[in-house]
């Protein structure tokens, strides 16, 4: 697989990563099976998808434990990205950016992942009670201690309730400007896909101008852009899509033209090319420092997603995708 670099430290990863969250968090619990997820991770590594993206809150903790079983055997094949800063309670999630907690959480992640070093350590969310510079300073100490190779920041986007004139990632850019004064940012992780292109307006250009890598989260639109979901089929209560404004039966039906456009482009590239691969190729086309991180818990999809690295979209393809109708949600 083609390789891409993240940050000024030129950290090298496969062009398509693997998002591990669905294996233990946020999607239907009844469909989560450890052995199947292990096969997906091995399949991704075999296909060249070296970047494995997780977080201590996924599970919580169980996703890092699962990856640790793979890393114990194949640490040299993997680039490990995990996150800190969120605590999961019974019915809530809270931020914790206290320096002492960050250091303890890193040690715990290292133990679960069965590794001596984390390649990329993300601040999942800034703690409103702690200056972000203090949290970032503690993370920088982990780099100096040799426990972490590079630091990243997960972006915060707020679709509703924004003041007139503000943009989706203005808060994240302000945070980045602050922490960059403390220690270099190597990567930013934020949603980016054909149906969620907001990061192209300000956040991605900001990263590009500074040589900062961009990990594209949810590049397949939580599965919608694969074309494998049926409007009205419904989701299990614990699946985050059951509460997502783009996954009501009405909005899934309304957004089918987006999937149809992806399929048209895929058909031009021959048998075997899928809508999902076109969606990932579109993300890859946004810049050489952009790495899509599609999530899956099945080997079949992990291998298919990795194949998108070989798909080169033409100017005609990109123009057609740019002309697709914007995605709609129940807030519209």
């Amino acid at each position: 697989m083609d390789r891409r670099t993240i940050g000024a430290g030129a950290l090298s990863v496969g062009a398509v990563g693997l998002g591990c969250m669905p294996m233990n968090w946020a999607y239907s619990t009844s469909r989560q099976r450890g052995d199947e997820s292990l096969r997906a991770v091995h399949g991704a590594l075999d296909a060249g998808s070296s970047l494995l993206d997780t977080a201590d809150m996924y599970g919580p903790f169980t996703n890092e434990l699962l990856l640790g079983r793979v890393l114990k055997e194949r640490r040299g094949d993997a680039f490990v990205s995990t996150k800190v800063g969120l605590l999961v309670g019974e019915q809530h999630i809270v931020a914790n950016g206290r320096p002492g907690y960050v250091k303890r959480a890193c040690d715990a992640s290292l133990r679960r992942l069965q590794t001596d070093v984390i390649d990329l350590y993300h601040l999942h969310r800034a703690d409103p009670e702690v200056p972000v510079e203090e949290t970032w300073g503690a993370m920088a100490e982990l780099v100096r201690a040799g426990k972490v190779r590079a630091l990243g920041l997960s972006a915060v986007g707020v679709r509703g309730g924004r003041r007139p004139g503000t943009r989706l990632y203005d808060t994240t850019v302000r945070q980045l400007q602050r922490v960059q004064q403390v220690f270099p940012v190597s990567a930013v992780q934020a949603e980016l896909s054909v149906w969620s292109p907001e990061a192209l307006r300000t956040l991605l250009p900001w990263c590009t101008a500074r040589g900062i890598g961009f990990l594209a989260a949810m590049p397949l639109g939580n599965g919608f852009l694969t074309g494998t979901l049926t409007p009205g089929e419904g989701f299990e209560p614990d699946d985050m899509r059951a509460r997502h404004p783009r996954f009501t039966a009405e909005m899934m039906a309304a957004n089918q033209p987006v999937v149809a456009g992806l399929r048209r482009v895929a058909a031009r590239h021959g048998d075997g090319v899928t809508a999902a691969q076109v969606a990932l190729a579109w993300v890859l086309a946004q810049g050489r420092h952009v790495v899509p991180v599609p999530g899956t818990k099945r080997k079949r999809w992990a291998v298919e997603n990795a194949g998108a690295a070989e798909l080169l979209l033409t100017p005609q393809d990109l123009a057609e995708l740019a002309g697709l109708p914007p995605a709609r949600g129940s807030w519209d």
Side-chain angles (χ1 to χ4, degrees), residues 1 16-19 23 36-49 52 220 277 280 294-309:
M1 182 185 291
V16 177
L18 175 65
M23 301 173 185
E36 186 174 41
S37 294
L38 288 171
R39 288 193 292 270
V41 178
H42 282 292
L45 293 176
D46 291 342
S49 292
L52 307 179
L220 296 177
Q277 290 175 324
L280 294 173
T296 187
K297 52 185 176 288
R298 296 185 182 181
K299 179 180 178 180
R300 172 187 174 184
W301 305 132
V303 173
E304 178 183 303
N305 292 340

PDB file of all heavy atoms in Angstrom, residues 1 16-19 23 36-49 52 220 277 280 294-309:
ATOM      1  N   MET A   1       0.833  -1.198   0.000  1.00  0.00           N
ATOM      2  CA  MET A   1       0.000   0.000   0.000  1.00  0.00           C
ATOM      3  C   MET A   1       0.870   1.252   0.000  1.00  0.00           C
ATOM      4  O   MET A   1       1.937   1.290   0.625  1.00  0.00           O
ATOM      5  CB  MET A   1      -0.913   0.012   1.244  1.00  0.00           C
ATOM      6  CG  MET A   1      -1.854   1.221   1.301  1.00  0.00           C
ATOM      7  SD  MET A   1      -2.818   1.333   2.819  1.00  0.00           S
ATOM      8  CE  MET A   1      -3.908  -0.055   2.631  1.00  0.00           C
ATOM      9  N   VAL A  16      -4.494   4.191   4.005  1.00  0.00           N
ATOM     10  CA  VAL A  16      -5.811   3.966   4.613  1.00  0.00           C
ATOM     11  C   VAL A  16      -5.596   3.288   5.957  1.00  0.00           C
ATOM     12  O   VAL A  16      -4.890   2.277   6.043  1.00  0.00           O
ATOM     13  CB  VAL A  16      -6.706   3.090   3.720  1.00  0.00           C
ATOM     14  CG1 VAL A  16      -8.041   2.799   4.414  1.00  0.00           C
ATOM     15  CG2 VAL A  16      -6.945   3.766   2.375  1.00  0.00           C
ATOM     16  N   GLY A  17      -6.173   3.848   7.011  1.00  0.00           N
ATOM     17  CA  GLY A  17      -6.039   3.272   8.338  1.00  0.00           C
ATOM     18  C   GLY A  17      -7.219   2.390   8.690  1.00  0.00           C
ATOM     19  O   GLY A  17      -8.084   2.098   7.866  1.00  0.00           O
ATOM     20  N   LEU A  18      -7.267   1.961   9.948  1.00  0.00           N
ATOM     21  CA  LEU A  18      -8.363   1.141  10.462  1.00  0.00           C
ATOM     22  C   LEU A  18      -8.890   1.767  11.735  1.00  0.00           C
ATOM     23  O   LEU A  18      -8.171   1.883  12.741  1.00  0.00           O
ATOM     24  CB  LEU A  18      -7.891  -0.283  10.750  1.00  0.00           C
ATOM     25  CG  LEU A  18      -8.935  -1.211  11.403  1.00  0.00           C
ATOM     26  CD1 LEU A  18     -10.107  -1.464  10.457  1.00  0.00           C
ATOM     27  CD2 LEU A  18      -8.304  -2.528  11.852  1.00  0.00           C
ATOM     28  N   GLY A  19     -10.160   2.184  11.716  1.00  0.00           N
ATOM     29  CA  GLY A  19     -10.817   2.670  12.914  1.00  0.00           C
ATOM     30  C   GLY A  19     -11.371   1.496  13.697  1.00  0.00           C
ATOM     31  O   GLY A  19     -12.174   0.709  13.191  1.00  0.00           O
ATOM     32  N   MET A  23     -15.587  -2.096  16.971  1.00  0.00           N
ATOM     33  CA  MET A  23     -15.372  -3.425  17.535  1.00  0.00           C
ATOM     34  C   MET A  23     -15.881  -3.537  18.961  1.00  0.00           C
ATOM     35  O   MET A  23     -16.239  -4.633  19.412  1.00  0.00           O
ATOM     36  CB  MET A  23     -13.877  -3.768  17.483  1.00  0.00           C
ATOM     37  CG  MET A  23     -13.291  -3.753  16.079  1.00  0.00           C
ATOM     38  SD  MET A  23     -11.498  -3.972  16.090  1.00  0.00           S
ATOM     39  CE  MET A  23     -11.128  -3.740  14.337  1.00  0.00           C
ATOM     40  N   GLU A  36     -13.940 -12.169  15.474  1.00  0.00           N
ATOM     41  CA  GLU A  36     -14.152 -11.525  14.184  1.00  0.00           C
ATOM     42  C   GLU A  36     -13.368 -10.220  14.100  1.00  0.00           C
ATOM     43  O   GLU A  36     -12.761  -9.904  13.069  1.00  0.00           O
ATOM     44  CB  GLU A  36     -15.640 -11.265  13.972  1.00  0.00           C
ATOM     45  CG  GLU A  36     -15.977 -10.728  12.589  1.00  0.00           C
ATOM     46  CD  GLU A  36     -17.475 -10.622  12.374  1.00  0.00           C
ATOM     47  OE1 GLU A  36     -18.184 -10.208  13.307  1.00  0.00           O
ATOM     48  OE2 GLU A  36     -17.926 -10.946  11.260  1.00  0.00           O
ATOM     49  N   SER A  37     -13.347  -9.469  15.199  1.00  0.00           N
ATOM     50  CA  SER A  37     -12.600  -8.216  15.221  1.00  0.00           C
ATOM     51  C   SER A  37     -11.102  -8.467  15.105  1.00  0.00           C
ATOM     52  O   SER A  37     -10.389  -7.724  14.414  1.00  0.00           O
ATOM     53  CB  SER A  37     -12.903  -7.441  16.503  1.00  0.00           C
ATOM     54  OG  SER A  37     -14.256  -7.017  16.529  1.00  0.00           O
ATOM     55  N   LEU A  38     -10.617  -9.504  15.756  1.00  0.00           N
ATOM     56  CA  LEU A  38      -9.194  -9.837  15.633  1.00  0.00           C
ATOM     57  C   LEU A  38      -8.828 -10.158  14.187  1.00  0.00           C
ATOM     58  O   LEU A  38      -7.777  -9.735  13.696  1.00  0.00           O
ATOM     59  CB  LEU A  38      -8.850 -11.024  16.540  1.00  0.00           C
ATOM     60  CG  LEU A  38      -8.814 -10.746  18.047  1.00  0.00           C
ATOM     61  CD1 LEU A  38      -8.675 -12.051  18.815  1.00  0.00           C
ATOM     62  CD2 LEU A  38      -7.665  -9.796  18.398  1.00  0.00           C
ATOM     63  N   ARG A  39      -9.691 -10.891  13.504  1.00  0.00           N
ATOM     64  CA  ARG A  39      -9.433 -11.184  12.092  1.00  0.00           C
ATOM     65  C   ARG A  39      -9.425  -9.907  11.259  1.00  0.00           C
ATOM     66  O   ARG A  39      -8.628  -9.782  10.310  1.00  0.00           O
ATOM     67  CB  ARG A  39     -10.482 -12.167  11.563  1.00  0.00           C
ATOM     68  CG  ARG A  39     -10.320 -13.581  12.081  1.00  0.00           C
ATOM     69  CD  ARG A  39     -11.184 -14.571  11.296  1.00  0.00           C
ATOM     70  NE  ARG A  39     -12.604 -14.347  11.552  1.00  0.00           N
ATOM     71  CZ  ARG A  39     -13.294 -14.931  12.528  1.00  0.00           C
ATOM     72  NH1 ARG A  39     -12.685 -15.761  13.357  1.00  0.00           N
ATOM     73  NH2 ARG A  39     -14.593 -14.698  12.667  1.00  0.00           N
ATOM     74  N   ALA A  40     -10.284  -8.953  11.622  1.00  0.00           N
ATOM     75  CA  ALA A  40     -10.315  -7.681  10.890  1.00  0.00           C
ATOM     76  C   ALA A  40      -9.008  -6.921  11.062  1.00  0.00           C
ATOM     77  O   ALA A  40      -8.472  -6.349  10.099  1.00  0.00           O
ATOM     78  CB  ALA A  40     -11.484  -6.832  11.371  1.00  0.00           C
ATOM     79  N   VAL A  41      -8.474  -6.900  12.272  1.00  0.00           N
ATOM     80  CA  VAL A  41      -7.209  -6.185  12.515  1.00  0.00           C
ATOM     81  C   VAL A  41      -6.076  -6.859  11.755  1.00  0.00           C
ATOM     82  O   VAL A  41      -5.275  -6.195  11.084  1.00  0.00           O
ATOM     83  CB  VAL A  41      -6.895  -6.126  14.029  1.00  0.00           C
ATOM     84  CG1 VAL A  41      -5.552  -5.425  14.253  1.00  0.00           C
ATOM     85  CG2 VAL A  41      -8.001  -5.393  14.784  1.00  0.00           C
ATOM     86  N   HIS A  42      -5.996  -8.183  11.838  1.00  0.00           N
ATOM     87  CA  HIS A  42      -4.943  -8.892  11.104  1.00  0.00           C
ATOM     88  C   HIS A  42      -5.092  -8.680   9.601  1.00  0.00           C
ATOM     89  O   HIS A  42      -4.092  -8.476   8.891  1.00  0.00           O
ATOM     90  CB  HIS A  42      -4.997 -10.393  11.437  1.00  0.00           C
ATOM     91  CG  HIS A  42      -4.401 -10.747  12.750  1.00  0.00           C
ATOM     92  ND1 HIS A  42      -3.039 -10.652  13.001  1.00  0.00           N
ATOM     93  CD2 HIS A  42      -4.977 -11.209  13.899  1.00  0.00           C
ATOM     94  CE1 HIS A  42      -2.787 -11.044  14.243  1.00  0.00           C
ATOM     95  NE2 HIS A  42      -3.937 -11.381  14.808  1.00  0.00           N
ATOM     96  N   GLY A  43      -6.332  -8.713   9.101  1.00  0.00           N
ATOM     97  CA  GLY A  43      -6.550  -8.511   7.675  1.00  0.00           C
ATOM     98  C   GLY A  43      -6.127  -7.122   7.226  1.00  0.00           C
ATOM     99  O   GLY A  43      -5.551  -6.949   6.140  1.00  0.00           O
ATOM    100  N   ALA A  44      -6.414  -6.112   8.065  1.00  0.00           N
ATOM    101  CA  ALA A  44      -6.009  -4.750   7.737  1.00  0.00           C
ATOM    102  C   ALA A  44      -4.491  -4.635   7.683  1.00  0.00           C
ATOM    103  O   ALA A  44      -3.925  -4.039   6.745  1.00  0.00           O
ATOM    104  CB  ALA A  44      -6.587  -3.780   8.769  1.00  0.00           C
ATOM    105  N   LEU A  45      -3.808  -5.200   8.669  1.00  0.00           N
ATOM    106  CA  LEU A  45      -2.342  -5.141   8.686  1.00  0.00           C
ATOM    107  C   LEU A  45      -1.756  -5.876   7.483  1.00  0.00           C
ATOM    108  O   LEU A  45      -0.798  -5.401   6.861  1.00  0.00           O
ATOM    109  CB  LEU A  45      -1.805  -5.727   9.989  1.00  0.00           C
ATOM    110  CG  LEU A  45      -2.110  -4.943  11.274  1.00  0.00           C
ATOM    111  CD1 LEU A  45      -1.594  -5.698  12.492  1.00  0.00           C
ATOM    112  CD2 LEU A  45      -1.488  -3.544  11.220  1.00  0.00           C
ATOM    113  N   ASP A  46      -2.324  -7.026   7.155  1.00  0.00           N
ATOM    114  CA  ASP A  46      -1.837  -7.770   5.987  1.00  0.00           C
ATOM    115  C   ASP A  46      -1.986  -6.953   4.707  1.00  0.00           C
ATOM    116  O   ASP A  46      -1.161  -7.067   3.786  1.00  0.00           O
ATOM    117  CB  ASP A  46      -2.613  -9.076   5.836  1.00  0.00           C
ATOM    118  CG  ASP A  46      -2.303 -10.081   6.934  1.00  0.00           C
ATOM    119  OD1 ASP A  46      -1.259  -9.932   7.606  1.00  0.00           O
ATOM    120  OD2 ASP A  46      -3.119 -11.011   7.138  1.00  0.00           O
ATOM    121  N   ALA A  47      -3.043  -6.120   4.636  1.00  0.00           N
ATOM    122  CA  ALA A  47      -3.305  -5.315   3.440  1.00  0.00           C
ATOM    123  C   ALA A  47      -2.544  -4.000   3.431  1.00  0.00           C
ATOM    124  O   ALA A  47      -2.649  -3.232   2.464  1.00  0.00           O
ATOM    125  CB  ALA A  47      -4.808  -5.043   3.315  1.00  0.00           C
ATOM    126  N   GLY A  48      -1.790  -3.720   4.496  1.00  0.00           N
ATOM    127  CA  GLY A  48      -0.999  -2.493   4.542  1.00  0.00           C
ATOM    128  C   GLY A  48      -1.615  -1.357   5.320  1.00  0.00           C
ATOM    129  O   GLY A  48      -1.027  -0.269   5.399  1.00  0.00           O
ATOM    130  N   SER A  49      -2.786  -1.559   5.902  1.00  0.00           N
ATOM    131  CA  SER A  49      -3.410  -0.520   6.739  1.00  0.00           C
ATOM    132  C   SER A  49      -2.773  -0.557   8.118  1.00  0.00           C
ATOM    133  O   SER A  49      -3.277  -1.184   9.049  1.00  0.00           O
ATOM    134  CB  SER A  49      -4.925  -0.755   6.838  1.00  0.00           C
ATOM    135  OG  SER A  49      -5.552  -0.542   5.599  1.00  0.00           O
ATOM    136  N   LEU A  52      -3.700   1.876  13.322  1.00  0.00           N
ATOM    137  CA  LEU A  52      -4.812   1.342  14.106  1.00  0.00           C
ATOM    138  C   LEU A  52      -5.252   2.420  15.076  1.00  0.00           C
ATOM    139  O   LEU A  52      -4.488   2.831  15.954  1.00  0.00           O
ATOM    140  CB  LEU A  52      -4.377   0.086  14.870  1.00  0.00           C
ATOM    141  CG  LEU A  52      -3.731  -1.029  14.040  1.00  0.00           C
ATOM    142  CD1 LEU A  52      -3.328  -2.189  14.946  1.00  0.00           C
ATOM    143  CD2 LEU A  52      -4.670  -1.511  12.926  1.00  0.00           C
ATOM    144  N   LEU A 220     -16.689   7.031   5.820  1.00  0.00           N
ATOM    145  CA  LEU A 220     -17.780   6.320   5.151  1.00  0.00           C
ATOM    146  C   LEU A 220     -19.139   6.714   5.717  1.00  0.00           C
ATOM    147  O   LEU A 220     -20.136   6.003   5.530  1.00  0.00           O
ATOM    148  CB  LEU A 220     -17.575   4.802   5.256  1.00  0.00           C
ATOM    149  CG  LEU A 220     -16.324   4.261   4.551  1.00  0.00           C
ATOM    150  CD1 LEU A 220     -16.173   2.771   4.779  1.00  0.00           C
ATOM    151  CD2 LEU A 220     -16.365   4.574   3.059  1.00  0.00           C
ATOM    152  N   GLN A 277     -15.225   2.310  -1.641  1.00  0.00           N
ATOM    153  CA  GLN A 277     -13.865   2.610  -2.099  1.00  0.00           C
ATOM    154  C   GLN A 277     -13.796   3.974  -2.768  1.00  0.00           C
ATOM    155  O   GLN A 277     -12.812   4.709  -2.607  1.00  0.00           O
ATOM    156  CB  GLN A 277     -13.379   1.516  -3.037  1.00  0.00           C
ATOM    157  CG  GLN A 277     -13.108   0.200  -2.330  1.00  0.00           C
ATOM    158  CD  GLN A 277     -12.738  -0.911  -3.281  1.00  0.00           C
ATOM    159  OE1 GLN A 277     -13.262  -1.001  -4.397  1.00  0.00           O
ATOM    160  NE2 GLN A 277     -11.829  -1.772  -2.869  1.00  0.00           N
ATOM    161  N   LEU A 280     -13.724   6.589  -0.025  1.00  0.00           N
ATOM    162  CA  LEU A 280     -12.401   6.686   0.595  1.00  0.00           C
ATOM    163  C   LEU A 280     -11.397   7.334  -0.354  1.00  0.00           C
ATOM    164  O   LEU A 280     -10.542   8.124   0.077  1.00  0.00           O
ATOM    165  CB  LEU A 280     -11.921   5.299   1.015  1.00  0.00           C
ATOM    166  CG  LEU A 280     -12.726   4.631   2.138  1.00  0.00           C
ATOM    167  CD1 LEU A 280     -12.264   3.189   2.348  1.00  0.00           C
ATOM    168  CD2 LEU A 280     -12.586   5.423   3.437  1.00  0.00           C
ATOM    169  N   PRO A 294     -11.410   4.523   8.184  1.00  0.00           N
ATOM    170  CA  PRO A 294     -12.734   3.902   8.227  1.00  0.00           C
ATOM    171  C   PRO A 294     -12.814   2.846   9.319  1.00  0.00           C
ATOM    172  O   PRO A 294     -11.888   2.057   9.515  1.00  0.00           O
ATOM    173  CB  PRO A 294     -12.863   3.270   6.833  1.00  0.00           C
ATOM    174  CG  PRO A 294     -11.459   2.996   6.416  1.00  0.00           C
ATOM    175  CD  PRO A 294     -10.638   4.119   6.995  1.00  0.00           C
ATOM    176  N   GLY A 295     -13.928   2.841  10.035  1.00  0.00           N
ATOM    177  CA  GLY A 295     -14.102   1.867  11.097  1.00  0.00           C
ATOM    178  C   GLY A 295     -14.835   0.627  10.611  1.00  0.00           C
ATOM    179  O   GLY A 295     -15.764   0.709   9.810  1.00  0.00           O
ATOM    180  N   THR A 296     -14.407  -0.510  11.108  1.00  0.00           N
ATOM    181  CA  THR A 296     -15.115  -1.760  10.810  1.00  0.00           C
ATOM    182  C   THR A 296     -14.715  -2.805  11.825  1.00  0.00           C
ATOM    183  O   THR A 296     -13.693  -2.672  12.512  1.00  0.00           O
ATOM    184  CB  THR A 296     -14.818  -2.270   9.390  1.00  0.00           C
ATOM    185  OG1 THR A 296     -15.645  -3.392   9.105  1.00  0.00           O
ATOM    186  CG2 THR A 296     -13.352  -2.667   9.235  1.00  0.00           C
ATOM    187  N   LYS A 297     -15.514  -3.842  11.932  1.00  0.00           N
ATOM    188  CA  LYS A 297     -15.182  -4.980  12.784  1.00  0.00           C
ATOM    189  C   LYS A 297     -15.146  -6.278  11.995  1.00  0.00           C
ATOM    190  O   LYS A 297     -15.115  -7.364  12.568  1.00  0.00           O
ATOM    191  CB  LYS A 297     -16.175  -5.099  13.934  1.00  0.00           C
ATOM    192  CG  LYS A 297     -17.641  -5.101  13.534  1.00  0.00           C
ATOM    193  CD  LYS A 297     -18.534  -5.093  14.767  1.00  0.00           C
ATOM    194  CE  LYS A 297     -20.014  -4.988  14.378  1.00  0.00           C
ATOM    195  NZ  LYS A 297     -20.330  -3.615  13.883  1.00  0.00           N
ATOM    196  N   ARG A 298     -15.151  -6.173  10.668  1.00  0.00           N
ATOM    197  CA  ARG A 298     -15.120  -7.345   9.812  1.00  0.00           C
ATOM    198  C   ARG A 298     -13.926  -7.311   8.865  1.00  0.00           C
ATOM    199  O   ARG A 298     -13.627  -6.286   8.251  1.00  0.00           O
ATOM    200  CB  ARG A 298     -16.409  -7.443   8.990  1.00  0.00           C
ATOM    201  CG  ARG A 298     -17.652  -7.647   9.837  1.00  0.00           C
ATOM    202  CD  ARG A 298     -18.868  -7.865   8.980  1.00  0.00           C
ATOM    203  NE  ARG A 298     -20.077  -8.015   9.779  1.00  0.00           N
ATOM    204  CZ  ARG A 298     -21.287  -8.236   9.278  1.00  0.00           C
ATOM    205  NH1 ARG A 298     -21.443  -8.344   7.965  1.00  0.00           N
ATOM    206  NH2 ARG A 298     -22.326  -8.359  10.075  1.00  0.00           N
ATOM    207  N   LYS A 299     -13.273  -8.460   8.722  1.00  0.00           N
ATOM    208  CA  LYS A 299     -12.107  -8.556   7.852  1.00  0.00           C
ATOM    209  C   LYS A 299     -12.460  -8.200   6.417  1.00  0.00           C
ATOM    210  O   LYS A 299     -11.691  -7.510   5.739  1.00  0.00           O
ATOM    211  CB  LYS A 299     -11.530  -9.966   7.921  1.00  0.00           C
ATOM    212  CG  LYS A 299     -10.313 -10.177   7.023  1.00  0.00           C
ATOM    213  CD  LYS A 299      -9.781 -11.599   7.133  1.00  0.00           C
ATOM    214  CE  LYS A 299      -8.596 -11.802   6.202  1.00  0.00           C
ATOM    215  NZ  LYS A 299      -8.059 -13.189   6.306  1.00  0.00           N
ATOM    216  N   ARG A 300     -13.611  -8.658   5.936  1.00  0.00           N
ATOM    217  CA  ARG A 300     -13.998  -8.399   4.549  1.00  0.00           C
ATOM    218  C   ARG A 300     -13.971  -6.908   4.242  1.00  0.00           C
ATOM    219  O   ARG A 300     -13.447  -6.473   3.217  1.00  0.00           O
ATOM    220  CB  ARG A 300     -15.396  -8.962   4.310  1.00  0.00           C
ATOM    221  CG  ARG A 300     -15.990  -8.589   2.956  1.00  0.00           C
ATOM    222  CD  ARG A 300     -17.441  -9.031   2.856  1.00  0.00           C
ATOM    223  NE  ARG A 300     -18.058  -8.547   1.618  1.00  0.00           N
ATOM    224  CZ  ARG A 300     -19.333  -8.719   1.309  1.00  0.00           C
ATOM    225  NH1 ARG A 300     -20.132  -9.370   2.161  1.00  0.00           N
ATOM    226  NH2 ARG A 300     -19.818  -8.254   0.184  1.00  0.00           N
ATOM    227  N   TRP A 301     -14.560  -6.112   5.122  1.00  0.00           N
ATOM    228  CA  TRP A 301     -14.623  -4.671   4.869  1.00  0.00           C
ATOM    229  C   TRP A 301     -13.262  -4.013   5.080  1.00  0.00           C
ATOM    230  O   TRP A 301     -12.920  -3.063   4.374  1.00  0.00           O
ATOM    231  CB  TRP A 301     -15.662  -4.017   5.768  1.00  0.00           C
ATOM    232  CG  TRP A 301     -17.043  -4.597   5.681  1.00  0.00           C
ATOM    233  CD1 TRP A 301     -17.850  -4.967   6.720  1.00  0.00           C
ATOM    234  CD2 TRP A 301     -17.791  -4.893   4.483  1.00  0.00           C
ATOM    235  NE1 TRP A 301     -19.040  -5.469   6.264  1.00  0.00           N
ATOM    236  CE2 TRP A 301     -19.040  -5.439   4.901  1.00  0.00           C
ATOM    237  CE3 TRP A 301     -17.532  -4.762   3.125  1.00  0.00           C
ATOM    238  CZ2 TRP A 301     -20.012  -5.837   3.993  1.00  0.00           C
ATOM    239  CZ3 TRP A 301     -18.505  -5.172   2.214  1.00  0.00           C
ATOM    240  CH2 TRP A 301     -19.722  -5.688   2.642  1.00  0.00           C
ATOM    241  N   ALA A 302     -12.480  -4.504   6.035  1.00  0.00           N
ATOM    242  CA  ALA A 302     -11.147  -3.932   6.250  1.00  0.00           C
ATOM    243  C   ALA A 302     -10.277  -4.096   5.011  1.00  0.00           C
ATOM    244  O   ALA A 302      -9.555  -3.170   4.605  1.00  0.00           O
ATOM    245  CB  ALA A 302     -10.488  -4.585   7.459  1.00  0.00           C
ATOM    246  N   VAL A 303     -10.350  -5.257   4.392  1.00  0.00           N
ATOM    247  CA  VAL A 303      -9.557  -5.511   3.182  1.00  0.00           C
ATOM    248  C   VAL A 303     -10.094  -4.675   2.018  1.00  0.00           C
ATOM    249  O   VAL A 303      -9.317  -4.111   1.233  1.00  0.00           O
ATOM    250  CB  VAL A 303      -9.570  -7.012   2.840  1.00  0.00           C
ATOM    251  CG1 VAL A 303      -8.893  -7.269   1.502  1.00  0.00           C
ATOM    252  CG2 VAL A 303      -8.873  -7.814   3.950  1.00  0.00           C
ATOM    253  N   GLU A 304     -11.432  -4.598   1.885  1.00  0.00           N
ATOM    254  CA  GLU A 304     -12.005  -3.780   0.817  1.00  0.00           C
ATOM    255  C   GLU A 304     -11.607  -2.316   0.990  1.00  0.00           C
ATOM    256  O   GLU A 304     -11.233  -1.648   0.016  1.00  0.00           O
ATOM    257  CB  GLU A 304     -13.532  -3.899   0.825  1.00  0.00           C
ATOM    258  CG  GLU A 304     -14.199  -3.022  -0.238  1.00  0.00           C
ATOM    259  CD  GLU A 304     -15.705  -3.085  -0.198  1.00  0.00           C
ATOM    260  OE1 GLU A 304     -16.252  -4.199  -0.311  1.00  0.00           O
ATOM    261  OE2 GLU A 304     -16.340  -2.018  -0.070  1.00  0.00           O
ATOM    262  N   ASN A 305     -11.673  -1.821   2.213  1.00  0.00           N
ATOM    263  CA  ASN A 305     -11.308  -0.423   2.456  1.00  0.00           C
ATOM    264  C   ASN A 305      -9.851  -0.162   2.096  1.00  0.00           C
ATOM    265  O   ASN A 305      -9.518   0.872   1.505  1.00  0.00           O
ATOM    266  CB  ASN A 305     -11.551  -0.063   3.924  1.00  0.00           C
ATOM    267  CG  ASN A 305     -13.027  -0.052   4.292  1.00  0.00           C
ATOM    268  OD1 ASN A 305     -13.894   0.043   3.433  1.00  0.00           O
ATOM    269  ND2 ASN A 305     -13.310  -0.143   5.576  1.00  0.00           N
ATOM    270  N   ALA A 306      -8.986  -1.096   2.435  1.00  0.00           N
ATOM    271  CA  ALA A 306      -7.564  -0.928   2.108  1.00  0.00           C
ATOM    272  C   ALA A 306      -7.360  -0.817   0.600  1.00  0.00           C
ATOM    273  O   ALA A 306      -6.480  -0.082   0.125  1.00  0.00           O
ATOM    274  CB  ALA A 306      -6.758  -2.101   2.670  1.00  0.00           C
ATOM    275  N   GLY A 307      -8.193  -1.499  -0.167  1.00  0.00           N
ATOM    276  CA  GLY A 307      -8.072  -1.450  -1.621  1.00  0.00           C
ATOM    277  C   GLY A 307      -8.323  -0.088  -2.215  1.00  0.00           C
ATOM    278  O   GLY A 307      -7.923   0.181  -3.362  1.00  0.00           O
ATOM    279  N   ALA A 308      -8.972   0.802  -1.468  1.00  0.00           N
ATOM    280  CA  ALA A 308      -9.221   2.154  -1.969  1.00  0.00           C
ATOM    281  C   ALA A 308      -7.937   2.925  -2.215  1.00  0.00           C
ATOM    282  O   ALA A 308      -7.919   3.880  -2.998  1.00  0.00           O
ATOM    283  CB  ALA A 308     -10.111   2.924  -0.988  1.00  0.00           C
ATOM    284  N   ALA A 309      -6.856   2.519  -1.562  1.00  0.00           N
ATOM    285  CA  ALA A 309      -5.578   3.201  -1.762  1.00  0.00           C
ATOM    286  C   ALA A 309      -5.075   3.078  -3.194  1.00  0.00           C
ATOM    287  O   ALA A 309      -4.246   3.884  -3.647  1.00  0.00           O
ATOM    288  CB  ALA A 309      -4.533   2.647  -0.792  1.00  0.00           C
TER     289      ALA A 309
END
